[in-house]
Amino acid sequence: TVPEPSAQTTVTIDPTPNANAGADIPYCTGDPVTLNGSDGNTFSWYDLANGNLVGNGTSVTIYPVGNMDIEMVTWIGGCSDTDYVSIIEQPAPVITAIGDTSICDGQSTMLDVLGGVNSQYSWSPVAGLSNPLIQNPVATPTNTTMYTVTVTTNSGCLKTDSVLVQMNSVPTANFDVADVCFGGNSSFTDLSTIATGSIQTYTWNLGDGSTASISDPNYQYPSDGSYSVQLITVSDNGCSDSITQPTVVNPLPEPNISVQDECASVDLV
C-alpha cells in the first residue's frame, strides 16, 4: 500500500492588544502635551479632526492649538486596537506688567498687572516690596531692579512678565562760606556731591530775597546781620537735595575818638 501524504502547518495567533491612550489631558495654552500609550508593540497617533498622523511611538510630544481629540492605534503583530484621548486647553492668563519707571534714591513706586483676573500673583525679587503676593505692591528698591511677576490661574496655568525700576542717585547738597564785614563780598563755595550722574542746576536763596543760579556765587549784602542761605541742587535725572546754613555780615566798628580839653599857659601882666 502507498502511504497517504501528510502535512503540518504552524499557526501563530497574536494576542489582541488592549489599547490604552490614558486619561484626557488638560493643558495650558502654549504648553506642549505628551501622549503616552500602553499595551502594544507599535503605536500610531492621529488627529481625529483631519485624520493627520501626529506621531508614532509609545510616547509622542505635540504642540496642540485649542482642544483636540486624538486616536491611538496600537498593534501586536497583525492584531490592532484603538483608543481615544481628548486634549483640553486651559487658557493661560493674558497679562501685562506695568511700572517701568525711573525714581530717585529713597523714593517708592507702585507696580501693577493688567489682566489675570481671579489669579494669584508672585513678584520677585521680594526685597523692597511692600507685599510680593498682591497685584500691585509698592517697590522701594535700593538699586536698579528688574521685578518679575508670575500670574497663576485657578487651573494652574501661569504667565510671567517683568518691569524695570531705574534707581537714580540723589545729590548731597553742601557749601562753605566765610563770615565777612559789611561792605565785603560773601563768597559761596559749592561742595555738593553725587554718586552717579551729574549736578545740573544750582539755586541759591541768599536770605534777603536775592537769588543766584551758578555753582559758586559772590554776593555783597546791603546791610550787616545774619542771613539764612539755602542751596538747592538738581541732578541730570531730576533728583534734588537742599541744605540751609547761616552766614554773618559783621558791622563795621564805630570810630571812638576821645578829646581832652587843655588850657594853654598864659602869663598875666
Side-chain angles (χ1 to χ4, degrees), residues 130-215:
S130 59
N131 186 341
L133 301 179
I134 62 174
Q135 178 179 344
N136 51 355
V138 174
T140 311
T142 56
N143 47 48
T144 296
T145 303
M146 178 76 75
Y147 290 101
T148 298
V149 61
T150 300
V151 180
T152 306
T153 65
N154 292 333
S155 60
C157 297
L158 57 85
K159 193 72 175 288
T160 63
D161 199 10
S162 299
V163 295
L164 179 67
V165 179
Q166 177 79 37
M167 199 277 291
N168 298 312
S169 296
V170 175
T172 301
N174 194 16
F175 67 89
D176 186 42
V177 61
D179 295 344
V180 297
C181 294
F182 176 68
N185 282 330
S186 295
S187 297
F188 298 91
T189 302
D190 172 53
L191 301 176
S192 304
T193 59
I194 189 169
T196 59
S198 61
I199 298 175
Q200 293 294 299
T201 64
Y202 301 83
T203 301
W204 296 86
N205 296 307
L206 298 173
D208 66 345
S210 299
T211 61
S213 58
I214 60 176
S215 60

Coordinates of all heavy atoms in Angstrom, one line a residue, residues 130-215:
S130 N 6.4 96.0 49.3 CA 5.5 96.0 50.4 C 4.8 94.7 50.6 O 4.6 94.3 51.8 CB 4.5 97.1 50.2 OG 3.7 96.9 49.0
N131 N 4.5 94.0 49.6 CA 3.9 92.7 49.7 C 4.1 92.0 48.3 O 3.4 92.4 47.3 CB 2.4 92.8 50.0 CG 1.8 91.4 50.3 OD1 2.3 90.4 49.8 ND2 0.6 91.4 50.9
P132 N 4.9 90.9 48.2 CA 5.2 90.3 46.9 C 4.0 89.5 46.4 O 4.1 89.0 45.3 CB 6.4 89.5 47.2 CG 6.3 89.1 48.6 CD 5.7 90.3 49.3
L133 N 3.0 89.2 47.2 CA 1.9 88.3 46.8 C 0.6 89.0 46.4 O -0.5 88.4 46.4 CB 1.7 87.3 47.9 CG 2.9 86.4 48.3 CD1 2.5 85.5 49.4 CD2 3.4 85.7 47.1
I134 N 0.7 90.3 46.1 CA -0.5 91.0 45.7 C -0.3 91.6 44.3 O 0.8 91.6 43.8 CB -0.9 92.2 46.7 CG1 0.2 93.2 46.7 CG2 -1.2 91.7 48.1 CD1 -0.1 94.5 47.5
Q135 N -1.4 92.0 43.7 CA -1.3 92.5 42.3 C -0.5 93.8 42.2 O 0.2 93.9 41.2 CB -2.8 92.8 41.8 CG -2.8 93.3 40.4 CD -4.3 93.5 39.9 OE1 -5.2 93.0 40.5 NE2 -4.5 94.2 38.8
N136 N -0.6 94.7 43.1 CA 0.0 96.0 42.9 C 0.9 96.4 44.2 O 0.5 97.3 44.9 CB -1.0 97.0 42.6 CG -2.2 97.0 43.6 OD1 -2.2 96.2 44.5 ND2 -3.1 98.0 43.5
P137 N 2.0 95.8 44.4 CA 2.8 96.1 45.5 C 3.5 97.5 45.3 O 3.7 97.9 44.2 CB 3.8 95.0 45.6 CG 4.0 94.5 44.2 CD 2.6 94.7 43.6
V138 N 4.0 98.1 46.4 CA 4.8 99.3 46.3 C 6.3 98.8 46.4 O 6.7 98.1 47.3 CB 4.5 100.3 47.5 CG1 5.4 101.4 47.5 CG2 3.0 100.7 47.3
A139 N 7.1 99.3 45.5 CA 8.5 99.0 45.4 C 9.4 100.2 45.9 O 9.2 101.3 45.4 CB 8.9 98.6 44.0
T140 N 10.3 99.9 46.8 CA 11.3 100.8 47.3 C 12.7 100.2 47.1 O 13.2 99.7 48.1 CB 11.0 101.3 48.7 OG1 9.6 101.6 48.9 CG2 11.9 102.5 49.1
P141 N 13.2 100.1 45.9 CA 14.5 99.4 45.7 C 15.6 100.3 46.2 O 15.5 101.5 46.3 CB 14.5 99.2 44.2 CG 13.7 100.4 43.6 CD 12.6 100.6 44.6
T142 N 16.7 99.6 46.5 CA 18.0 100.3 46.9 C 18.9 100.4 45.7 O 20.0 101.1 45.8 CB 18.7 99.5 48.0 OG1 18.9 98.2 47.6 CG2 17.8 99.5 49.3
N143 N 18.6 99.8 44.6 CA 19.4 100.0 43.4 C 18.4 99.6 42.2 O 17.3 99.2 42.4 CB 20.6 99.1 43.4 CG 20.3 97.6 43.8 OD1 19.3 97.0 43.3 ND2 21.1 97.1 44.7
T144 N 18.9 99.8 41.0 CA 18.1 99.5 39.8 C 17.7 98.0 39.8 O 18.6 97.1 40.0 CB 18.9 99.8 38.5 OG1 19.1 101.2 38.5 CG2 18.1 99.4 37.3
T145 N 16.4 97.7 39.7 CA 15.9 96.4 39.9 C 14.9 96.0 38.8 O 14.0 96.8 38.4 CB 15.2 96.2 41.3 OG1 16.2 96.6 42.3 CG2 14.8 94.8 41.5
M146 N 15.1 94.8 38.3 CA 14.1 94.2 37.4 C 13.1 93.3 38.2 O 13.6 92.3 38.8 CB 14.7 93.4 36.3 CG 13.8 92.7 35.3 SD 13.0 93.8 34.1 CE 14.5 94.0 33.0
Y147 N 11.9 93.7 38.3 CA 10.9 92.9 39.0 C 10.1 92.0 38.0 O 9.6 92.5 37.0 CB 9.9 93.8 39.8 CG 10.6 94.5 40.9 CD1 10.9 95.9 40.8 CD2 10.8 93.9 42.2 CE1 11.5 96.5 41.9 CE2 11.3 94.5 43.2 CZ 11.7 95.9 43.1 OH 12.3 96.5 44.2
T148 N 10.0 90.7 38.4 CA 9.2 89.8 37.6 C 8.0 89.3 38.3 O 8.1 88.9 39.5 CB 10.1 88.6 37.2 OG1 11.2 89.0 36.4 CG2 9.3 87.5 36.4
V149 N 6.9 89.3 37.7 CA 5.6 88.8 38.3 C 5.2 87.5 37.6 O 5.3 87.4 36.4 CB 4.5 89.9 38.2 CG1 4.2 90.2 36.8 CG2 3.3 89.4 39.0
T150 N 4.8 86.5 38.4 CA 4.2 85.3 37.9 C 2.8 85.3 38.3 O 2.4 85.4 39.5 CB 4.9 84.1 38.5 OG1 6.3 84.1 38.1 CG2 4.3 82.8 37.9
V151 N 1.9 85.2 37.3 CA 0.4 85.2 37.5 C 0.0 83.7 37.2 O 0.2 83.2 36.1 CB -0.3 86.2 36.6 CG1 -1.8 86.1 36.8 CG2 0.3 87.6 36.8
T152 N -0.7 83.1 38.2 CA -1.2 81.7 38.1 C -2.7 81.7 38.2 O -3.3 82.2 39.2 CB -0.6 80.9 39.2 OG1 0.9 81.0 39.2 CG2 -1.0 79.4 39.0
T153 N -3.4 81.1 37.3 CA -4.8 81.0 37.3 C -5.2 79.8 38.2 O -4.4 79.0 38.7 CB -5.4 80.7 35.9 OG1 -4.9 79.4 35.5 CG2 -4.9 81.7 34.9
N154 N -6.5 79.8 38.5 CA -7.1 78.7 39.3 C -6.9 77.3 38.7 O -6.8 76.3 39.5 CB -8.6 78.9 39.6 CG -8.8 80.2 40.5 OD1 -7.9 80.6 41.2 ND2 -9.9 80.8 40.3
S155 N -6.7 77.2 37.4 CA -6.5 75.9 36.8 C -5.0 75.6 36.7 O -4.6 74.6 36.2 CB -7.0 76.0 35.3 OG -6.4 77.0 34.6
G156 N -4.1 76.5 37.3 CA -2.7 76.2 37.4 C -1.9 76.7 36.2 O -0.7 76.4 36.2
C157 N -2.5 77.4 35.3 CA -1.7 77.9 34.2 C -1.1 79.3 34.6 O -1.7 80.0 35.3 CB -2.6 78.2 33.0 SG -3.4 76.6 32.3
L158 N 0.1 79.5 34.1 CA 0.8 80.7 34.6 C 1.4 81.5 33.4 O 1.7 80.9 32.3 CB 1.9 80.4 35.6 CG 2.9 79.3 35.2 CD1 4.1 80.0 34.6 CD2 3.4 78.6 36.5
K159 N 1.7 82.7 33.7 CA 2.4 83.6 32.7 C 3.3 84.6 33.5 O 2.9 85.0 34.6 CB 1.4 84.4 31.9 CG 1.9 85.1 30.7 CD 2.3 84.1 29.6 CE 2.8 84.8 28.3 NZ 1.6 85.4 27.6
T160 N 4.4 85.0 32.9 CA 5.3 85.9 33.6 C 5.5 87.1 32.8 O 5.4 87.1 31.5 CB 6.6 85.3 33.9 OG1 7.3 84.9 32.7 CG2 6.5 84.0 34.8
D161 N 5.8 88.2 33.4 CA 6.2 89.5 32.7 C 7.1 90.3 33.7 O 7.1 90.0 34.9 CB 5.0 90.3 32.3 CG 5.3 91.3 31.2 OD1 6.4 91.3 30.7 OD2 4.4 92.2 30.9
S162 N 7.8 91.3 33.2 CA 8.7 92.0 34.0 C 8.6 93.5 33.8 O 8.2 94.0 32.8 CB 10.2 91.5 33.7 OG 10.3 90.2 34.0
V163 N 9.1 94.2 34.9 CA 9.2 95.7 34.8 C 10.6 96.1 35.3 O 11.1 95.4 36.2 CB 8.1 96.4 35.5 CG1 6.7 96.2 34.9 CG2 8.1 96.0 37.0
L164 N 11.1 97.2 34.8 CA 12.4 97.7 35.3 C 12.2 99.0 36.1 O 11.5 100.0 35.5 CB 13.3 98.0 34.1 CG 14.7 98.5 34.5 CD1 15.5 97.5 35.2 CD2 15.4 98.9 33.2
V165 N 12.7 99.1 37.3 CA 12.7 100.3 38.1 C 14.1 100.8 38.2 O 15.0 100.2 38.8 CB 12.1 100.0 39.5 CG1 12.1 101.3 40.3 CG2 10.7 99.5 39.4
Q166 N 14.3 101.9 37.5 CA 15.7 102.5 37.4 C 15.8 103.4 38.6 O 15.0 104.3 38.8 CB 15.9 103.3 36.1 CG 17.2 104.0 36.0 CD 18.3 103.1 35.6 OE1 18.1 102.2 34.8 NE2 19.5 103.4 36.1
M167 N 16.9 103.2 39.5 CA 17.1 104.0 40.6 C 18.2 105.0 40.4 O 19.3 104.6 40.0 CB 17.4 103.1 41.8 CG 17.3 103.8 43.2 SD 18.7 104.8 43.7 CE 19.9 103.5 44.0
N168 N 18.0 106.3 40.5 CA 19.0 107.3 40.2 C 19.5 107.9 41.5 O 18.8 108.1 42.5 CB 18.3 108.4 39.4 CG 17.9 107.9 38.0 OD1 18.6 107.2 37.3 ND2 16.6 108.2 37.7
S169 N 20.8 108.3 41.5 CA 21.4 108.9 42.6 C 20.9 110.3 42.9 O 20.5 111.0 42.0 CB 22.9 109.0 42.4 OG 23.5 107.7 42.3
V170 N 20.8 110.6 44.2 CA 20.4 111.9 44.7 C 21.6 112.7 45.1 O 22.5 112.2 45.8 CB 19.4 111.8 45.9 CG1 19.1 113.2 46.4 CG2 18.2 111.1 45.5
P171 N 21.8 113.9 44.6 CA 22.9 114.7 45.1 C 22.9 115.0 46.5 O 21.8 115.1 47.2 CB 22.8 116.0 44.2 CG 21.4 116.1 43.9 CD 20.9 114.7 43.8
T172 N 24.1 115.2 47.1 CA 24.2 115.7 48.5 C 24.6 117.1 48.5 O 25.8 117.4 48.1 CB 25.2 114.8 49.3 OG1 24.8 113.5 49.3 CG2 25.3 115.3 50.8
A173 N 23.7 118.0 48.8 CA 24.0 119.5 48.7 C 24.8 119.9 49.9 O 24.6 119.5 51.1 CB 22.7 120.3 48.7
N174 N 25.8 120.7 49.6 CA 26.7 121.3 50.7 C 27.4 122.5 50.1 O 27.7 122.6 48.9 CB 27.7 120.2 51.1 CG 28.4 120.6 52.4 OD1 27.9 121.5 53.2 ND2 29.5 119.9 52.7
F175 N 27.8 123.4 51.0 CA 28.6 124.6 50.6 C 29.3 125.2 51.8 O 29.0 124.8 53.0 CB 27.7 125.7 50.0 CG 26.7 126.3 50.9 CD1 27.1 127.5 51.6 CD2 25.4 125.8 51.0 CE1 26.2 128.1 52.4 CE2 24.5 126.5 51.9 CZ 24.9 127.6 52.6
D176 N 30.2 126.0 51.5 CA 31.0 126.7 52.5 C 31.0 128.2 52.2 O 31.0 128.6 51.1 CB 32.5 126.2 52.5 CG 33.3 126.8 53.6 OD1 32.8 126.8 54.8 OD2 34.5 127.1 53.4
V177 N 31.0 129.0 53.3 CA 31.0 130.4 53.2 C 31.6 131.0 54.5 O 31.4 130.5 55.6 CB 29.6 131.0 52.9 CG1 28.6 130.7 54.1 CG2 29.7 132.5 52.7
A178 N 32.4 132.0 54.3 CA 33.1 132.6 55.5 C 32.3 133.9 55.9 O 31.8 134.6 55.0 CB 34.5 132.9 55.2
D179 N 32.3 134.2 57.1 CA 31.7 135.5 57.6 C 32.5 136.6 57.1 O 33.8 136.5 56.9 CB 31.6 135.5 59.1 CG 30.6 134.5 59.7 OD1 29.8 133.9 58.9 OD2 30.7 134.2 60.9
V180 N 31.9 137.8 56.8 CA 32.6 138.9 56.3 C 32.2 140.2 57.1 O 31.2 140.2 57.8 CB 32.3 139.1 54.8 CG1 32.9 138.0 54.0 CG2 30.8 139.4 54.5
C181 N 32.9 141.2 56.8 CA 32.5 142.5 57.4 C 31.6 143.2 56.4 O 31.7 143.0 55.1 CB 33.7 143.4 57.7 SG 34.7 142.7 59.0
F182 N 30.8 144.1 56.8 CA 29.9 144.8 56.0 C 30.7 145.6 54.9 O 31.7 146.2 55.2 CB 29.0 145.8 56.8 CG 28.2 146.7 55.9 CD1 27.1 146.2 55.2 CD2 28.4 148.1 55.7 CE1 26.3 146.9 54.4 CE2 27.6 148.9 54.9 CZ 26.6 148.3 54.2
G183 N 30.2 145.4 53.6 CA 30.9 146.0 52.5 C 31.7 145.0 51.8 O 32.1 145.3 50.6
G184 N 32.0 143.9 52.4 CA 32.8 142.8 51.7 C 31.9 141.9 51.0 O 30.7 141.8 51.2
N185 N 32.5 141.1 50.1 CA 31.8 140.1 49.3 C 31.7 138.7 50.1 O 32.8 138.3 50.5 CB 32.4 139.8 47.9 CG 32.1 141.0 47.0 OD1 31.1 141.6 47.0 ND2 33.0 141.2 46.1
S186 N 30.5 138.2 50.2 CA 30.4 136.8 50.7 C 30.6 135.8 49.5 O 29.9 135.9 48.6 CB 29.0 136.6 51.3 OG 28.8 137.5 52.4
S187 N 31.6 135.0 49.7 CA 32.0 134.0 48.6 C 31.5 132.7 49.0 O 31.9 132.1 50.0 CB 33.5 134.0 48.4 OG 34.0 135.3 48.0
F188 N 30.5 132.1 48.2 CA 29.9 130.8 48.5 C 30.6 129.8 47.6 O 30.7 129.9 46.4 CB 28.4 130.9 48.1 CG 27.7 131.8 49.0 CD1 27.5 133.1 48.6 CD2 27.2 131.4 50.2 CE1 26.8 134.0 49.4 CE2 26.5 132.3 51.0 CZ 26.3 133.6 50.6
T189 N 31.1 128.7 48.2 CA 31.8 127.6 47.5 C 31.0 126.4 47.6 O 30.6 125.9 48.7 CB 33.2 127.4 48.2 OG1 34.0 128.6 48.1 CG2 33.9 126.3 47.4
D190 N 30.6 125.9 46.4 CA 29.8 124.7 46.3 C 30.6 123.5 46.7 O 31.7 123.3 46.1 CB 29.2 124.5 44.9 CG 28.5 123.2 44.8 OD1 27.6 122.8 45.6 OD2 28.9 122.4 43.8
L191 N 30.1 122.6 47.6 CA 30.8 121.4 48.0 C 29.9 120.2 47.7 O 30.1 119.1 48.3 CB 31.2 121.4 49.5 CG 32.1 122.6 49.9 CD1 32.3 122.5 51.4 CD2 33.4 122.5 49.2
S192 N 28.9 120.3 46.9 CA 27.9 119.2 46.7 C 28.5 118.1 45.9 O 29.4 118.3 45.1 CB 26.7 119.8 45.9 OG 26.1 120.9 46.6
T193 N 28.0 116.9 46.2 CA 28.5 115.7 45.5 C 27.3 114.8 45.0 O 26.2 115.0 45.5 CB 29.4 114.8 46.5 OG1 28.6 114.5 47.6 CG2 30.6 115.6 46.9
I194 N 27.6 113.9 44.1 CA 26.6 112.9 43.6 C 27.4 111.6 43.2 O 28.5 111.7 42.7 CB 25.8 113.5 42.5 CG1 24.7 112.5 42.1 CG2 26.7 113.7 41.2 CD1 23.6 113.1 41.2
A195 N 26.8 110.5 43.6 CA 27.5 109.2 43.3 C 27.6 108.9 41.9 O 28.6 108.5 41.4 CB 26.7 108.1 44.1
T196 N 26.5 109.0 41.1 CA 26.5 108.7 39.7 C 25.6 109.8 39.0 O 24.7 110.4 39.6 CB 25.9 107.4 39.3 OG1 24.5 107.3 39.8 CG2 26.7 106.2 39.9
G197 N 26.0 110.2 37.8 CA 25.3 111.2 37.1 C 26.0 112.6 37.4 O 27.2 112.6 37.8
S198 N 25.3 113.6 37.2 CA 25.9 115.0 37.4 C 24.9 115.9 38.0 O 23.7 115.7 37.8 CB 26.5 115.5 36.1 OG 25.5 115.6 35.1
I199 N 25.4 117.0 38.6 CA 24.5 118.1 39.1 C 24.4 119.1 38.0 O 25.3 119.6 37.4 CB 25.1 118.7 40.4 CG1 25.2 117.7 41.5 CG2 24.2 119.9 40.8 CD1 25.9 118.2 42.7
Q200 N 23.1 119.4 37.7 CA 22.8 120.2 36.5 C 22.5 121.6 36.9 O 22.8 122.6 36.2 CB 21.7 119.6 35.7 CG 22.0 118.3 35.0 CD 23.1 118.5 33.9 OE1 22.9 119.2 32.9 NE2 24.2 117.9 34.1
T201 N 21.7 121.8 38.0 CA 21.3 123.2 38.4 C 21.6 123.5 39.8 O 21.5 122.6 40.7 CB 19.8 123.4 38.1 OG1 19.0 122.5 38.9 CG2 19.5 123.1 36.6
Y202 N 21.9 124.7 40.1 CA 22.1 125.3 41.4 C 21.1 126.4 41.6 O 21.1 127.3 40.8 CB 23.5 125.7 41.6 CG 24.6 124.7 41.4 CD1 25.0 124.4 40.1 CD2 25.1 124.0 42.5 CE1 26.0 123.4 39.9 CE2 26.1 123.0 42.3 CZ 26.5 122.7 41.0 OH 27.5 121.8 40.8
T203 N 20.4 126.4 42.7 CA 19.6 127.5 43.1 C 19.9 128.0 44.5 O 19.8 127.2 45.4 CB 18.1 127.1 43.0 OG1 17.8 126.7 41.7 CG2 17.2 128.3 43.3
W204 N 20.4 129.3 44.6 CA 20.8 129.8 45.9 C 19.7 130.8 46.3 O 19.3 131.7 45.5 CB 22.1 130.6 45.8 CG 23.3 129.7 45.4 CD1 23.7 129.4 44.2 CD2 24.2 129.2 46.3 NE1 24.8 128.6 44.2 CE2 25.2 128.5 45.6 CE3 24.3 129.2 47.7 CZ2 26.2 127.8 46.1 CZ3 25.4 128.5 48.3 CH2 26.3 127.8 47.5
N205 N 19.2 130.7 47.5 CA 18.3 131.7 48.1 C 19.2 132.3 49.2 O 19.5 131.7 50.2 CB 17.1 131.0 48.7 CG 16.2 130.4 47.6 OD1 15.8 131.1 46.7 ND2 15.8 129.1 47.8
L206 N 19.6 133.6 49.0 CA 20.6 134.2 49.8 C 20.2 134.8 51.1 O 21.0 135.3 51.8 CB 21.4 135.2 48.9 CG 22.0 134.6 47.7 CD1 22.6 135.7 46.8 CD2 23.1 133.6 48.1
G207 N 18.9 134.7 51.4 CA 18.4 135.1 52.7 C 17.9 136.5 52.8 O 17.3 136.8 53.9
D208 N 18.1 137.3 51.8 CA 17.5 138.6 51.8 C 16.6 138.8 50.6 O 16.3 140.0 50.3 CB 18.6 139.7 51.8 CG 19.4 139.7 50.5 OD1 19.3 138.7 49.7 OD2 20.1 140.6 50.2
G209 N 16.1 137.7 50.0 CA 15.3 137.8 48.8 C 16.0 137.7 47.5 O 15.4 137.6 46.5
S210 N 17.3 137.8 47.6 CA 18.1 137.7 46.4 C 18.4 136.2 46.1 O 18.4 135.4 47.0 CB 19.5 138.4 46.5 OG 19.2 139.8 46.8
T211 N 18.7 135.9 44.8 CA 18.9 134.5 44.4 C 20.1 134.5 43.4 O 20.6 135.5 42.9 CB 17.7 133.9 43.7 OG1 17.4 134.6 42.5 CG2 16.5 133.8 44.6
A212 N 20.7 133.3 43.2 CA 21.8 133.1 42.3 C 21.6 131.7 41.7 O 21.0 130.8 42.3 CB 23.1 133.2 42.9
S213 N 22.1 131.4 40.5 CA 22.0 130.2 39.8 C 23.3 129.6 39.2 O 23.3 128.9 38.3 CB 20.9 130.3 38.7 OG 21.3 131.3 37.8
I214 N 24.4 130.0 39.9 CA 25.7 129.4 39.5 C 26.2 128.6 40.6 O 25.7 128.7 41.8 CB 26.7 130.5 39.0 CG1 26.9 131.5 40.2 CG2 26.2 131.2 37.8 CD1 28.0 132.5 39.8
S215 N 27.3 127.9 40.4 CA 27.7 127.0 41.5 C 28.4 127.7 42.6 O 28.3 127.3 43.8 CB 28.7 125.9 40.9 OG 29.8 126.5 40.3

